[in-house]
Amino acid sequence: MDKRSAFASNRRSTPVPLFASIGHQDNWGKVVRVLNALRADHLRPLGADEVRDVVEWIPPRTVVRVRIRSWPDRREIDGVYIDTFLPPEALGPSSFRAYVGRIQEAAQAAEREGVRIAALGGFTSIVLEGDLGILDTKGTSVFTTGNSLTTAYIVKGIEEACRRLGVDLTQAELLVVGSTGDIGSACVRDLMRRVRSIALCARNPRRLQCQLEGVEKAGARAVADTDVSKLLPRADVVILAASARQGEISLAGLPDHAVVCDAGYPKNASVSDDRLLERLFHGGMGFARGGFDFEPDLLDVIYDFPLRGIGHGCMLEGIALAFEGRFEAFSTGRGEITPDAVETIWRIAERHGMGLAPLYNHEGLWSESIGAQEQTPPS
Ligand code: NDP
């Protein structure tokens, strides 16, 4: 039986999925592997150039069926991963609005699957600028951006990293790159009164100035600049949450002691100094303790993380809400996520065994020795 028919027959026997995760790959290598995994065995695999030629003709579709278990009760629910096949070049500042139609098609595919809730991961919500009203669906599924749970994982990750590295968050200057975005502004709102001062960075000066005034009005000490290199030298903690191209943000000039959370998808930071890797983690990530399975097993392509069970906050938000039986558009719009919403979705996720992912970066899990000194009680 070829891969496609195995997939089709399995589909008949599986229950109607409860949730969908809608996403995209962040580089061509992954797009090639996903597409080839969907081709029948008797067909030769497509080369990278051929995939680049055909990808724009491939409609968004289900590529993986997902079964996930809650913890500790090990309740199973089923879902699908729908790939929008956004070309990785679309993941950047200027061109992505041309892809609204693709996101609409992906949303319609989720409804055809019969899901109750779908999460719009990574750039799929950025393309819509959070306006889920333009999805053009029948209303049988609800949609969430997933950005509230992503924010919760970023904030919890910062707390954990600072604890392990001995950085006092209350005395820190926090730099948020992408501060006017949906996730960045949610992080600002959540953390601005818990740090000594906050530095805001985005490219649009008008939006940045407006945010600075709001933050100061709320009683926080703040600075803002469109040039990140001016803010890096005094930062103790950095959150990267920009809708930037891979490696677009240089961290040159950052002090040696600074902690960095890179929450971008694709990753924002270009890291020229290897010593930084001991203080940089990939943020916005959760860990499903009950585990999940993919059919076909594309886990190492789509979720090439150092541990099975790690998943993006945006995807896990839809799943957490499905476990909870709360089929609602929990996160919508842009810049409207409140600290209360972040706390609420964190508690829901934790209740189903989806806490913070262990800290890691592209070199792997943070070594046990990081922070061991801080964790050892004094003798
Ligand atoms: P938004 O589009 O809402 O916000 C993006 C922000 O980045 C804006 O403030 C934008 O402002 C700023 N920005 C873009 N390019 C640059 C740049 N070169 N330098 C500085 N600022 C920049 O996006 P989201 O908040 O929804 O998503 C942010 C990132 O998080 C994306 O990479 C996304 O894929 C990722 N993400 C990660 C998830 C996870 O689970 N880890 C889940 C969901 C999203 P301006 O245009 O003024 O520069």
Side-chain angles (χ1 to χ4, degrees):
M1 192 183 283
D2 66 31
K3 275 180 254 163
R4 192 182 298 268
S5 52
F7 192 52
S9 70
N10 197 293
R11 184 176 172 157
R12 274 196 296 277
S13 61
T14 49
V16 174
L18 209 50
F19 67 87
S21 300
I22 297 175
H24 57 85
Q25 306 308 314
D26 60 355
N27 64 61
W28 277 109
K30 288 190 195 172
V31 178
V32 171
R33 289 183 67 190
V34 168
L35 276 183
N36 279 322
L38 297 175
R39 277 167 73 78
D41 284 337
H42 67 274
L43 297 174
R44 71 169 176 82
L46 295 175
D49 287 346
E50 290 167 300
V51 168
R52 280 172 188 263
D53 285 345
V54 299
V55 84
E56 70 174 290
W57 309 109
I58 300 175
R61 52 166 290 183
T62 295
V63 297
V64 168
R65 309 196 83 78
V66 183
R67 178 158 291 167
I68 185 161
R69 287 167 290 280
S70 59
W71 185 270
D73 55 344
R74 294 196 151 265
R75 188 154 59 88
E76 286 185 340
I77 56 172
D78 290 285
V80 291
Y81 168 68
I82 295 172
D83 204 307
T84 49
F85 297 112
L86 285 183
E89 283 82 10
L91 316 180
S94 51
S95 56
F96 59 71
R97 282 180 194 86
Y99 294 95
V100 169
R102 280 210 157 237
I103 314 306
Q104 288 173 328
E105 282 181 64
Q108 288 154 9
E111 287 203 321
R112 280 196 303 277
E113 287 279 5
V115 306
R116 302 278 309 274
I117 187 163
L120 292 155
F123 269 71
T124 68
S125 64
I126 295 174
V127 167
L128 304 176
E129 296 187 349
D131 182 3
L132 307 191
I134 55 177
L135 278 177
D136 194 23
T137 48
K138 292 187 183 136
T140 55
S141 307
V142 294
F143 293 84
T144 182
T145 65
N147 287 344
S148 301
L149 188 55
T150 300
T151 303
Y153 289 142
I154 292 171
V155 171
K156 300 291 174 189
I158 289 286
E159 289 168 354
E160 166 80 356
C162 286
R163 188 184 62 73
R164 283 179 67 177
L165 293 166
V167 172
D168 181 354
L169 198 51
T170 64
Q171 295 307 311
E173 167 136 327
L174 168 68
L175 165 60
V176 182
V177 183
S179 63
T180 57
D182 198 36
I183 295 170
S185 64
C187 292
V188 170
R189 259 175 244 115
D190 206 283
L191 288 166
M192 65 186 177
R193 287 189 206 81
R194 298 169 52 196
V195 293
R196 178 174 50 81
S197 55
I198 191 155
L200 310 167
C201 178
R203 294 163 308 174
N204 182 305
R206 191 183 48 78
R207 278 202 294 266
L208 197 56
Q209 181 59 28
C210 183
Q211 182 180 41
L212 176 65
E213 286 164 18
V215 167
E216 285 176 334
K217 213 164 153 192
R221 286 176 57 183
V223 290
D225 209 301
T226 53
D227 182 352
V228 71
S229 70
K230 296 205 178 115
L231 301 171
L232 283 166
R234 43 183 279 186
D236 304 298
V237 178
V238 181
I239 293 172
L240 299 171
S243 52
R245 291 189 200 283
Q246 180 137 24
E248 195 174 326
I249 315 285
S250 163
L251 295 177
L254 190 66
D256 287 346
H257 69 267
V259 177
V260 181
C261 165
D262 189 345
Y265 182 80
K267 290 292 145 214
N268 286 177
S270 72
V271 181
S272 51
D273 182 351
D274 281 353
R275 284 175 308 170
L276 184 61
L277 288 176
E278 299 205 341
R279 313 183 75 87
L280 178 147
F281 69 98
H282 291 177
M285 310 303 293
F287 180 70
R289 211 169 154 201
F292 48 70
D293 302 307
F294 280 11
E295 163 71 35
D297 191 359
L298 288 177
L299 205 63
D300 68 324
V301 182
I302 295 172
Y303 267 13
D304 57 343
F305 304 127
L307 214 58
R308 268 180 102 95
I310 293 179
H312 288 106
C314 49
M315 304 301 193
L316 294 180
E317 178 171 309
I319 295 169
L321 290 166
F323 273 126
E324 191 77 359
R326 280 180 67 161
F327 300 103
E328 60 187 83
F330 193 88
S331 312
T332 56
R334 199 180 194 215
E336 287 164 23
I337 295 172
T338 62
D340 279 351
V342 172
E343 185 58 26
T344 300
I345 194 70
W346 165 252
R347 283 174 195 272
I348 290 173
E350 263 206 313
R351 197 152 44 234
H352 301 287
M354 293 184 284
L356 179 67
L359 302 184
Y360 73 94
N361 56 43
H362 57 272
E363 293 283 298
L365 292 174
W366 271 24
S367 123
E368 293 279 319
S369 62
I370 296 178
Q373 266 176 322
E374 284 81 12
Q375 285 164 8
T376 312
S379 53

